[in-house]
């Protein structure tokens, strides 16, 4: 079955430290892949996306993500986090054959001084 | 400004009282979709639309209706709301599947 997994429910990182948020999917082909961020009380904002080409994609706010076909993963990274990065992050996958963008359950990011 | 507008932002209603949450986009997008967000479950798709008069069920359509009579509008209708429909609802639109959806600011619905 097609699915999206974000194994980390909550991550705490010190300001200035690096960050990696994990996302795995289950699918027989390469889907379209997205990362969204949701700040408290806000809607979702698209950080970056991948659908073909270079497997390392750059997004807004200094984020990047790497698609690894062999691992069915699309992990989000940032070299140095800022307090304003505290938010919930969602990985989303568009599986072909149905018109549905499927979301993971999200990872809540806390930044400590 | 390009945006998806949902109304109302907050709504408290009683069980069984019909309600409509409106959604409008000004980007001439083909695709529109409704999601509900619940703690620990992420976002789940309720209904989507690929164009005017073309709608289909998502993962959790029970208890909801939609219509797409105009390209810009995609209202979500709860004919007889129940407490298990208490949730945060998002409308979203996109021109194409590989572009990523643009989301509205959300509607927090409480059914008592």
């Amino acid at each position: 079955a097609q699915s999206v997994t974000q194994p980390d429910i909550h991550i705490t990182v010190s300001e200035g430290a690096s960050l990696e948020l994990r996302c795995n999917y289950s699918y027989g082909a390469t889907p379209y892949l997205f990362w969204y961020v949701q700040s408290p009380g806000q809607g979702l904002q698209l950080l970056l996306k991948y659908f073909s080409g270079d497997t390392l994609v750059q997004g807004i706010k200094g984020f990047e993500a790497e698609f690894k076909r062999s691992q069915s993963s699309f992990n989000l990274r940032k070299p140095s986090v800022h307090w304003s990065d505290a938010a919930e992050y969602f990985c989303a996958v568009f599986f072909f054959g149905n018109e549905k963008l499927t979301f993971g359950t999200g990872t809540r990011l806390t930044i400590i001084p | 400004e390009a945006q998806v507008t949902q109304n109302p932002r907050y709504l408290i209603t009683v069980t069984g009282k019909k309600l409509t949450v409106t959604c409008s986009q000004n980007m001439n997008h083909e695709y529109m979709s409704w999601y509900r967000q619940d703690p620990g479950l992420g976002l789940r798709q309720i209904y989507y639309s690929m164009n005017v008069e073309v709608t289909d069920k998502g993962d959790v359509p029970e208890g909801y209706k939609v219509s797409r009579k105009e390209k810009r509008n995609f209202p979500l209708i709860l004919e007889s709301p129940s407490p298990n429909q208490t949730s945060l609802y998002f409308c979203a639109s996109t021109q194409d599947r590989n572009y990523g959806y643009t989301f509205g600011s959300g509607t927090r619905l409480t059914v008592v």
Side-chain angles (χ1 to χ4, degrees):
Chain A
Q2 301 160 350
S3 64
V4 184
T5 302
Q6 292 182 248
D8 303 305
I9 296 173
H10 185 203
I11 284 182
T12 300
V13 176
S14 298
E15 190 168 14
S18 64
L19 171 71
E20 183 168 22
L21 303 182
R22 297 182 290 165
C23 174
N24 294 92
Y25 64 90
S26 174
Y27 188 53
T30 299
Y32 293 156
L33 298 155
F34 306 86
W35 275 99
Y36 284 85
V37 60
Q38 184 181 30
S39 298
Q42 302 296 314
L44 282 83
Q45 182 181 23
L46 180 65
L47 282 175
L48 46 75
K49 61 188 178 185
Y50 172 82
F51 56 91
S52 68
D54 193 348
T55 57
L56 184 64
V57 293
Q58 303 297 320
I60 62 171
K61 302 178 187 249
F63 285 92
E64 65 178 27
E66 185 172 14
F67 169 61
K68 292 186 177 180
R69 186 189 312 273
S70 61
Q71 298 176 19
S72 296
S73 69
F74 188 55
N75 293 350
L76 182 71
R77 302 195 295 240
K78 187 169 185 178
S80 175
V81 297
H82 185 261
W83 64 266
S84 60
D85 293 324
E88 187 144 25
Y89 292 80
F90 292 94
C91 179
V93 180
F94 191 95
F95 299 111
F96 298 102
N98 64 53
E99 296 297 324
K100 185 168 66 174
L101 186 64
T102 299
F103 284 81
T105 51
T107 298
R108 184 160 61 91
L109 176 65
T110 297
I111 308 294
I112 55 176
Chain B
E1 179 188 353
Q3 60 186 356
V4 177
T5 304
Q6 294 178 231
N7 281 297
R9 287 294 306 276
Y10 301 91
L11 179 59
I12 301 174
T13 191
V14 297
T15 298
K17 185 177 181 181
K18 181 180 178 179
L19 67 90
T20 299
V21 183
T22 63
C23 174
S24 180
Q25 50 94 3
N26 62 0
M27 297 167 281
N28 201 39
H29 284 171
E30 301 284 333
Y31 295 84
M32 297 187 74
S33 187
W34 275 102
Y35 286 85
R36 62 177 288 174
Q37 183 180 15
D38 301 289
L41 297 178
L43 284 88
R44 294 177 293 168
Q45 190 182 55
I46 304 171
Y47 270 94
Y48 64 89
S49 170
M50 289 181 282
N51 212 327
V52 175
E53 303 291 4
V54 180
T55 63
D56 207 346
K57 297 176 181 178
D59 291 321
V60 289
E62 296 78 20
Y64 304 95
K65 285 175 57 177
V66 293
S67 68
R68 187 96 181 270
K69 293 184 169 52
E70 310 165 271
K71 198 171 189 179
R72 62 183 291 124
N73 295 324
F74 191 44
L76 179 69
I77 302 157
L78 285 72
E79 295 270 2
S80 182
S82 63
N84 65 10
Q85 292 178 296
T86 292
S87 187
L88 179 58
Y89 292 85
F90 287 102
C91 180
S93 72
T94 185
Q95 181 53 35
D96 202 347
R97 297 169 299 173
N98 64 340
Y99 287 9
Y101 274 103
T102 299
F103 281 80
S105 299
T107 295
R108 185 166 293 281
L109 172 66
T110 302
V111 184
V112 297

